[in-house]
Every structure is written in structure tokens, then in C-alpha cells.
Amino acid sequence: MKVASPAILAGVLLMAATGVTQAQQAPGAGFYGAIGYHYVNPKSGNGTLAGVFRSDINSDSEPTLTVGYNFDANWSAEAWLPLTRFKHDVSLDGAKSASIKHMPYLFTAQYHFLPDSPVRPFIGAGYGFVNVSGERTTGPIAGTTLNVKGADGFVGQFGADWYASDNVFVRADARYFDWKSKVELNGAGIGEVKVNPWIYGVSVGYRF
């Protein structure tokens, strides 16, 4: 399992808060893009399957891409997705029983505070959907066919951009994705998993 260190996020935020004091030019309308690394951390205890088995989904980290558009100094909209699929092991009553891969696509509208400051906090909200694939079974359910359905839901977001110049910035952010998927085993429905992950990450971006 790949684990993203919280020290990375703390270090970026500390650098943003203390590293630069001079004002930067507030962004006008235009596109921006960022390459990052994000950690998907599902909630603990993801539901009960077949009425009996407690399911747990572990975490994963992958490189990501953000593409957005600034409407003015405060408002923007962006799309976020991983560059490779996230992969998670699934345990039933503590025994590793499956693995899944997924590709989430998250879209948010954002409001940015302090547009003349080098450190620009923001909040956002929007919509996301996820495509689940690559289900594999092992352990107690080896040899069966597992199908985890795609899903969609609300996305909430907060973070901060540190502008090293008028165009180059470093971002630390967190997203909450309200994601629940129906699960089938050998074609029969056995319940629903509530993934509901927090997604934490850092990115380096450029405003065009």
C-alpha cells in the first residue's frame, strides 16, 4: 500500500505561509494546469456485504492532472483526474478478498480568497463520477466474479495556492467525494459499499 506523508502537505502549507511576503498580481481570466500527486483515503468500514461480511477498502496514491479556468480574480472552475487508475485492496471481515481499480473524474467551481496575496486559500463544490474496473477476487471468494458498479456524487474541496511568481504556483488541497457503489457477486446483488474518500494532494501548476 502506498502512503502519502502528511508532512509533505504540512511542509507545503508552511512554505506558503512563510516563504513569500510580497504581493503578486491578481489573476485575470485564463486557463491553468497542474500536475500533482494525490492520496485517496476511503472511510473506515465501507459497509456490510451479503448481510454478513464487513468490507474495508484500503488507500492508494497516484499522479494526477488538474485543468481549470479562472473567470476573474476570485472565481474559477476545474476538472481533476488521475493519470493512472487508483488501485485498492478490499477486505471482508479482515481477510483480503478482492482488489479494484478506479478512475474518478471530479469537477468543482471554486471561490479564491486574497487574490492579491501570494497565498490564496479557496473553497469549492461540485460533482464527480467514477469508473470502477479491474475487479479481482482472492482468498475466501477466489474464483468468483465480482462487479463493482460505477457511481457519482457530491464533491467538496478546500485548499490553498502559493504563487512563487505571477504564473507558477504550488497547491495543497483536499477533496471529499460522496461515492457509494452497488456490488454484485456472480451476477447477484450483495449490497453497497460506501467509499466516501478524502483525497489529499500537492500539485505544481502554471497559469497561462
Side-chain angles (χ1 to χ4, degrees):
M1 179 178 68
K2 290 177 274 186
V3 178
S5 171
I8 296 175
L9 301 181
V12 170
L13 290 174
L14 180 63
M15 178 176 62
T18 62
V20 181
T21 57
Q22 74 272 19
Q24 302 286 346
Q25 177 183 341
F31 288 96
Y32 62 91
I35 297 292
Y37 201 71
H38 281 75
Y39 173 64
V40 174
N41 183 28
K43 71 182 291 289
S44 298
N46 304 110
T48 301
L49 297 177
V52 177
F53 301 105
R54 171 191 166 96
S55 61
D56 290 284
I57 301 172
N58 79 344
S59 305
D60 188 31
S61 304
E62 299 294 343
T64 58
L65 172 67
T66 301
V67 177
Y69 185 80
N70 291 311
F71 297 100
D72 56 28
N74 297 108
W75 290 98
S76 65
E78 68 179 34
W80 175 93
L81 71 159
L83 295 175
T84 58
R85 291 180 295 173
F86 290 101
K87 180 180 179 181
H88 303 273
D89 291 331
V90 182
S91 298
L92 297 177
D93 286 348
K96 180 181 175 181
S97 302
S99 63
I100 62 171
K101 296 180 180 181
H102 71 91
M103 179 73 76
Y105 303 87
L106 307 184
F107 305 89
T108 52
Q110 301 167 336
Y111 184 83
H112 297 254
F113 303 92
L114 307 177
D116 294 314
S117 169
V119 182
R120 301 170 187 169
F122 62 87
I123 57 173
Y127 164 83
F129 66 92
V130 59
N131 178 33
V132 182
S133 61
E135 299 97 324
R136 295 179 180 273
T137 58
T138 187
I141 61 170
T144 60
T145 301
L146 179 68
N147 182 22
V148 180
K149 300 291 187 179
D152 59 3
F154 167 81
V155 177
Q157 181 185 20
F158 66 90
D161 294 332
W162 168 57
Y163 273 81
S165 70
D166 287 341
N167 299 97
V168 178
F169 63 92
V170 176
R171 169 175 292 186
D173 72 336
R175 293 172 172 85
Y176 175 78
F177 182 19
D178 184 18
W179 163 19
K180 304 174 183 65
S181 284
K182 296 185 182 301
V183 181
E184 295 178 350
L185 192 66
N186 289 337
I190 59 171
E192 182 180 70
V193 290
K194 299 178 180 179
V195 185
N196 295 347
W198 279 95
I199 304 171
Y200 308 99
V202 292
S203 306
V204 177
Y206 186 85
R207 179 168 61 87
F208 297 95

